[in-house]
């Protein structure tokens, strides 16, 4: 399975945000899988998982990247070059969030991430002129130079949709491409991704905690802190 995240922060604000606690739970769930880069992904292997992020926001670098490093999980980030170091003011529905700069992408690579392509401006490719599609899929030379292979080998269709022309150019310019819902479980140039949300789980196992206490009230704060800080957060 290929997973798609957008933002990871202290608290979920909309469906596109995942809290730190839920992210840790999800990463614990993934310990039952072999988490790999897209280059190593085998669509026929149900035990493999790929972690991807669309947009690469600063909150992902601040909160998700250290957790991924602790677990030793590789991950992929899909960037749009026009928004590097800028905010998401264009998205009138979502709360404000800032995209990573090029320097912060360097930190992302050091944390185990690979930088992949999501067009220059996140334009809808379906119905766009041929020249626009080809230009949007072309990675700027300065970024390719700064982040050489194995970066920029994979492409994610903006808005999760594609047309015959964008599919054709993806085949010519990349090792593979990702969609959302429109694609296929086996087509390397239209792999589907699963959108991860706050309540998404990859395991049926749950952790419930009961703290019994009798005449030891002076230890209760320490006991509760221990539960809150354990490596796998309690579900209840």
């Amino acid at each position: 399975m290929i997973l798609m995240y957008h933002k990871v922060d202290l608290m979920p604000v909309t469906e596109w945000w995942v809290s730190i606690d839920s992210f840790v739970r999800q990463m614990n769930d993934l310990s039952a899988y072999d988490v790999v880069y897209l280059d190593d992904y085998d669509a026929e292997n149900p035990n493999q998982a790929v972690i991807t992020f669309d947009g690469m926001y600063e909150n992902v670098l601040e909160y998700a990247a250290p957790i991924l490093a602790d677990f030793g999980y590789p991950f992929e980030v899909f960037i749009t070059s026009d928004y590097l170091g800028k905010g998401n003011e264009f998205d009138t529905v979502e709360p404000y969030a800032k995209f990573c700069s090029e320097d912060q992408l360097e930190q992302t690579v050091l944390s185990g991430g690979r930088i992949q392509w999501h067009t220059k401006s996140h334009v809808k490719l379906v119905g766009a002129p041929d020249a626009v599609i080809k230009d949007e899929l072309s990675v700027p030379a300065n970024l390719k130079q700064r982040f050489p292979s194995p970066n920029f080998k994979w492409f994610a269709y903006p808005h999760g949709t594609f047309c015959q022309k964008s599919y054709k150019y993806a085949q010519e310019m990349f090792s593979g491409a990702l969609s959302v819902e429109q694609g296929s479980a086996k087509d390397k140039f239209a792999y589907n991704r699963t959108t991860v949300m706050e309540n998404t789980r990859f395991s049926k196992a749950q952790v419930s905690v009961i703290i019994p206490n009798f005449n030891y009230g002076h230890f209760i704060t320490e006991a509760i802190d221990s539960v809150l800080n354990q490596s796998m957060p309690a579900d209840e």
Side-chain angles (χ1 to χ4, degrees):
M1 62 179 175
I2 302 176
L3 309 176
M4 180 181 67
Y5 287 89
H6 283 83
K7 307 174 186 76
V8 177
D9 213 319
L10 298 176
M11 295 292 293
V13 185
T14 72
E15 63 180 342
W16 303 112
W17 300 61
V18 173
S19 70
I20 296 173
D21 282 350
S22 287
F23 189 71
V24 172
R25 287 190 184 95
Q26 291 160 358
M27 295 305 101
N28 271 296
D29 287 349
L30 290 180
S31 62
Y33 294 81
D34 182 17
V35 182
V36 299
Y37 288 113
L38 283 167
D39 282 346
D40 304 314
Y41 180 64
D42 178 3
E44 302 291 338
N45 186 346
N47 295 318
Q48 283 189 343
V50 179
I51 300 169
T52 73
F53 295 88
D54 271 7
M56 195 51 193
Y57 293 87
E58 284 187 341
N59 52 40
V60 171
L61 179 61
E62 181 177 1
Y63 298 118
I67 295 169
L68 290 163
D70 285 344
F71 278 92
Y73 290 162
F75 60 101
E76 314 274 0
V77 298
F78 289 84
I79 67 167
T80 51
S81 57
D82 285 358
Y83 301 120
L84 291 177
K86 300 178 182 178
N88 66 336
E89 292 90 349
F90 63 89
D91 193 341
T92 57
V93 177
E94 279 287 285
Y96 180 79
K98 189 176 180 182
F99 293 98
C100 285
S101 65
E102 286 189 38
D103 288 342
Q104 289 173 315
L105 291 180
E106 292 273 11
Q107 299 175 43
T108 301
V109 172
L110 293 175
S111 298
R114 288 183 179 177
I115 313 301
Q116 309 295 356
W117 194 234
H118 200 37
T119 69
K120 294 177 180 177
S121 67
H122 205 259
V123 66
K124 288 187 177 181
L125 300 178
V126 177
D130 189 87
V132 170
I133 294 175
K134 188 171 185 179
D135 180 63
E136 287 284 341
L137 267 66
S138 300
V139 182
N142 65 304
L143 287 176
K144 273 195 167 183
Q145 183 176 4
R146 187 165 187 177
F147 302 100
S149 183
N151 300 293
F152 294 124
K153 293 178 64 179
W154 287 77
F155 175 66
Y157 299 103
H159 305 279
T161 58
F162 59 90
C163 57
Q164 186 175 3
K165 290 180 180 179
S166 56
Y167 180 87
K168 172 179 173 289
Y169 281 126
Q171 286 182 306
E172 295 175 0
M173 303 165 73
F174 297 93
S175 297
L178 308 180
S179 177
V180 182
E181 296 181 1
Q182 181 185 348
S184 161
K186 296 183 179 181
D187 185 346
K188 190 177 181 181
F189 289 91
Y191 277 155
N192 263 333
R193 290 187 287 176
T194 298
T195 301
V196 184
M197 298 182 180
E198 175 71 7
N199 296 322
T200 302
R201 294 298 300 268
F202 310 112
S203 169
K204 294 182 179 179
Q206 289 190 327
V207 175
S208 300
V209 175
I210 298 173
I211 302 176
N213 188 284
F214 182 72
N215 288 342
Y216 280 89
H218 53 293
F219 290 124
I220 194 66
T221 300
E222 182 179 349
I224 293 172
D225 284 343
S226 177
V227 170
L228 295 176
N229 292 323
Q230 66 187 35
S231 59
M232 186 169 182
D235 293 292
E236 63 177 0

Short mmCIF file of all heavy atoms in Angstrom, two decimals, residues 6 17 24 26 32 35 47-48 50 61 73 89 113-114 116 126 151 159 169 171 178 180 193 205 212 227:
data_model
loop_
_atom_site.label_atom_id
_atom_site.label_comp_id
_atom_site.label_asym_id
_atom_site.label_seq_id
_atom_site.Cartn_x
_atom_site.Cartn_y
_atom_site.Cartn_z
N HIS A 6 -0.65 14.80 4.27
CA HIS A 6 -0.47 16.20 3.91
C HIS A 6 0.23 16.96 5.04
O HIS A 6 1.31 17.49 4.85
CB HIS A 6 -1.81 16.87 3.57
CG HIS A 6 -2.33 16.51 2.22
ND1 HIS A 6 -3.05 15.36 1.97
CD2 HIS A 6 -2.23 17.15 1.03
CE1 HIS A 6 -3.36 15.30 0.69
NE2 HIS A 6 -2.88 16.38 0.09
N TRP A 17 -5.14 17.08 8.12
CA TRP A 17 -4.15 17.19 9.19
C TRP A 17 -4.24 15.94 10.07
O TRP A 17 -5.32 15.47 10.40
CB TRP A 17 -4.40 18.42 10.06
CG TRP A 17 -4.34 19.73 9.34
CD1 TRP A 17 -5.14 20.14 8.30
CD2 TRP A 17 -3.46 20.82 9.60
NE1 TRP A 17 -4.81 21.42 7.91
CE2 TRP A 17 -3.78 21.87 8.70
CE3 TRP A 17 -2.43 21.03 10.53
CZ2 TRP A 17 -3.11 23.07 8.68
CZ3 TRP A 17 -1.76 22.23 10.52
CH2 TRP A 17 -2.10 23.25 9.61
N VAL A 24 2.04 8.79 15.52
CA VAL A 24 2.86 7.78 16.22
C VAL A 24 2.15 6.44 16.24
O VAL A 24 2.77 5.39 16.01
CB VAL A 24 3.19 8.26 17.65
CG1 VAL A 24 3.85 7.13 18.44
CG2 VAL A 24 4.10 9.47 17.61
N GLN A 26 0.03 5.34 14.05
CA GLN A 26 0.08 4.79 12.70
C GLN A 26 1.46 4.24 12.37
O GLN A 26 1.58 3.19 11.72
CB GLN A 26 -0.34 5.88 11.70
CG GLN A 26 -1.81 6.24 11.81
CD GLN A 26 -2.16 7.59 11.21
OE1 GLN A 26 -1.30 8.32 10.73
NE2 GLN A 26 -3.44 7.95 11.25
N ALA A 32 4.40 -3.68 11.42
CA ALA A 32 4.04 -5.00 10.89
C ALA A 32 4.30 -5.10 9.40
O ALA A 32 4.15 -6.17 8.81
CB ALA A 32 2.56 -5.28 11.17
N VAL A 35 8.45 -1.09 5.37
CA VAL A 35 8.31 0.27 4.82
C VAL A 35 9.48 0.54 3.89
O VAL A 35 10.65 0.45 4.30
CB VAL A 35 8.25 1.31 5.95
CG1 VAL A 35 8.07 2.71 5.37
CG2 VAL A 35 7.11 0.99 6.91
N ASN A 47 2.83 -6.97 2.03
CA ASN A 47 3.51 -6.63 3.28
C ASN A 47 4.35 -5.36 3.18
O ASN A 47 5.01 -4.98 4.14
CB ASN A 47 4.40 -7.80 3.72
CG ASN A 47 3.60 -9.04 4.07
OD1 ASN A 47 2.55 -8.97 4.70
ND2 ASN A 47 4.08 -10.20 3.62
N GLN A 48 4.33 -4.72 2.02
CA GLN A 48 5.11 -3.50 1.85
C GLN A 48 4.21 -2.27 2.01
O GLN A 48 3.03 -2.28 1.70
CB GLN A 48 5.77 -3.46 0.47
CG GLN A 48 7.00 -4.34 0.36
CD GLN A 48 7.74 -4.11 -0.94
OE1 GLN A 48 7.21 -3.53 -1.90
NE2 GLN A 48 8.97 -4.55 -1.01
N VAL A 50 4.56 2.25 1.61
CA VAL A 50 5.32 3.44 1.25
C VAL A 50 4.65 4.65 1.90
O VAL A 50 3.42 4.79 1.83
CB VAL A 50 5.38 3.64 -0.28
CG1 VAL A 50 6.18 4.91 -0.62
CG2 VAL A 50 6.00 2.43 -0.96
N LEU A 61 8.23 18.55 8.50
CA LEU A 61 9.65 18.50 8.86
C LEU A 61 9.83 18.58 10.37
O LEU A 61 10.66 17.88 10.95
CB LEU A 61 10.40 19.64 8.18
CG LEU A 61 11.90 19.74 8.48
CD1 LEU A 61 12.63 18.49 8.01
CD2 LEU A 61 12.50 20.98 7.81
N TYR A 73 12.09 4.75 9.22
CA TYR A 73 11.26 4.58 8.02
C TYR A 73 11.70 5.55 6.92
O TYR A 73 11.83 6.75 7.15
CB TYR A 73 9.79 4.86 8.33
CG TYR A 73 9.10 3.84 9.21
CD1 TYR A 73 7.92 4.17 9.87
CD2 TYR A 73 9.62 2.56 9.39
CE1 TYR A 73 7.26 3.25 10.66
CE2 TYR A 73 8.97 1.64 10.20
CZ TYR A 73 7.79 1.99 10.83
OH TYR A 73 7.14 1.08 11.63
N GLU A 89 -1.68 30.45 1.13
CA GLU A 89 -2.77 31.41 1.05
C GLU A 89 -3.72 31.12 -0.11
O GLU A 89 -4.89 31.49 -0.07
CB GLU A 89 -2.23 32.84 0.92
CG GLU A 89 -1.52 33.36 2.15
CD GLU A 89 -0.04 33.05 2.14
OE1 GLU A 89 0.40 32.27 1.28
OE2 GLU A 89 0.67 33.60 2.99
N GLY A 113 14.23 11.29 3.83
CA GLY A 113 13.24 11.54 2.79
C GLY A 113 13.86 11.67 1.41
O GLY A 113 15.03 12.04 1.27
N ARG A 114 13.08 11.38 0.41
CA ARG A 114 13.48 11.61 -0.98
C ARG A 114 12.53 12.65 -1.58
O ARG A 114 11.32 12.61 -1.32
CB ARG A 114 13.45 10.32 -1.80
CG ARG A 114 14.57 9.36 -1.44
CD ARG A 114 14.58 8.11 -2.30
NE ARG A 114 15.68 7.22 -1.94
CZ ARG A 114 15.90 6.03 -2.48
NH1 ARG A 114 15.06 5.57 -3.41
NH2 ARG A 114 16.92 5.30 -2.10
N GLN A 116 10.49 14.30 -4.49
CA GLN A 116 9.87 13.90 -5.76
C GLN A 116 9.05 15.07 -6.31
O GLN A 116 8.93 16.11 -5.68
CB GLN A 116 9.02 12.65 -5.56
CG GLN A 116 9.72 11.50 -4.86
CD GLN A 116 10.90 10.92 -5.64
OE1 GLN A 116 11.17 11.31 -6.77
NE2 GLN A 116 11.61 9.96 -5.04
N VAL A 126 -5.81 17.84 -16.21
CA VAL A 126 -6.90 17.37 -17.08
C VAL A 126 -7.46 18.55 -17.86
O VAL A 126 -7.93 19.53 -17.28
CB VAL A 126 -8.00 16.69 -16.24
CG1 VAL A 126 -9.15 16.27 -17.14
CG2 VAL A 126 -7.45 15.49 -15.49
N ASN A 151 16.47 11.28 -6.17
CA ASN A 151 15.38 12.24 -6.08
C ASN A 151 14.81 12.53 -7.47
O ASN A 151 15.47 12.30 -8.49
CB ASN A 151 15.88 13.54 -5.45
CG ASN A 151 16.42 13.32 -4.05
OD1 ASN A 151 15.68 13.00 -3.12
ND2 ASN A 151 17.72 13.48 -3.88
N HIS A 159 -3.94 17.12 -7.69
CA HIS A 159 -5.37 16.87 -7.47
C HIS A 159 -5.72 15.40 -7.66
O HIS A 159 -6.90 15.03 -7.72
CB HIS A 159 -6.23 17.74 -8.40
CG HIS A 159 -5.93 19.20 -8.29
ND1 HIS A 159 -6.44 20.00 -7.29
CD2 HIS A 159 -5.13 20.01 -9.04
CE1 HIS A 159 -6.01 21.23 -7.44
NE2 HIS A 159 -5.20 21.27 -8.49
N TYR A 169 3.31 11.79 -20.71
CA TYR A 169 4.53 12.51 -20.33
C TYR A 169 5.14 11.93 -19.06
O TYR A 169 6.37 11.90 -18.91
CB TYR A 169 4.24 14.00 -20.16
CG TYR A 169 4.15 14.75 -21.46
CD1 TYR A 169 3.03 15.52 -21.76
CD2 TYR A 169 5.18 14.69 -22.40
CE1 TYR A 169 2.94 16.22 -22.97
CE2 TYR A 169 5.10 15.37 -23.60
CZ TYR A 169 3.99 16.13 -23.87
OH TYR A 169 3.91 16.81 -25.07
N GLN A 171 5.17 8.83 -18.24
CA GLN A 171 5.92 7.65 -18.70
C GLN A 171 7.27 8.02 -19.30
O GLN A 171 8.26 7.32 -19.12
CB GLN A 171 5.09 6.88 -19.72
CG GLN A 171 3.93 6.09 -19.15
CD GLN A 171 3.20 5.32 -20.22
OE1 GLN A 171 2.77 5.88 -21.24
NE2 GLN A 171 3.05 4.03 -20.03
N LEU A 178 1.98 8.58 -9.32
CA LEU A 178 0.97 8.25 -8.34
C LEU A 178 -0.30 9.06 -8.56
O LEU A 178 -0.25 10.24 -8.90
CB LEU A 178 1.49 8.53 -6.93
CG LEU A 178 2.83 7.92 -6.55
CD1 LEU A 178 3.19 8.29 -5.12
CD2 LEU A 178 2.83 6.42 -6.72
N VAL A 180 -4.70 9.28 -7.05
CA VAL A 180 -5.56 9.02 -5.89
C VAL A 180 -6.91 8.61 -6.44
O VAL A 180 -7.56 9.38 -7.14
CB VAL A 180 -5.72 10.28 -5.00
CG1 VAL A 180 -6.59 9.94 -3.79
CG2 VAL A 180 -4.37 10.80 -4.55
N ARG A 193 -3.05 5.84 -4.19
CA ARG A 193 -2.59 6.04 -2.82
C ARG A 193 -3.78 6.07 -1.87
O ARG A 193 -4.89 6.46 -2.25
CB ARG A 193 -1.81 7.35 -2.69
CG ARG A 193 -0.47 7.33 -3.36
CD ARG A 193 0.32 8.59 -3.05
NE ARG A 193 -0.21 9.75 -3.77
CZ ARG A 193 0.27 10.99 -3.60
NH1 ARG A 193 1.22 11.22 -2.72
NH2 ARG A 193 -0.23 11.99 -4.31
N ALA A 205 -5.27 -3.97 16.45
CA ALA A 205 -4.88 -4.00 17.87
C ALA A 205 -5.06 -2.62 18.50
O ALA A 205 -4.82 -1.60 17.87
CB ALA A 205 -3.43 -4.44 17.98
N PRO A 212 -4.79 1.51 38.42
CA PRO A 212 -5.37 1.29 39.75
C PRO A 212 -4.58 2.08 40.79
O PRO A 212 -3.36 2.24 40.67
CB PRO A 212 -5.22 -0.21 39.95
CG PRO A 212 -4.03 -0.58 39.13
CD PRO A 212 -4.02 0.36 37.95
N VAL A 227 2.10 6.93 31.26
CA VAL A 227 1.19 6.43 30.22
C VAL A 227 1.22 7.37 29.02
O VAL A 227 1.28 6.92 27.86
CB VAL A 227 -0.24 6.33 30.77
CG1 VAL A 227 -1.22 6.05 29.65
CG2 VAL A 227 -0.31 5.23 31.82
#
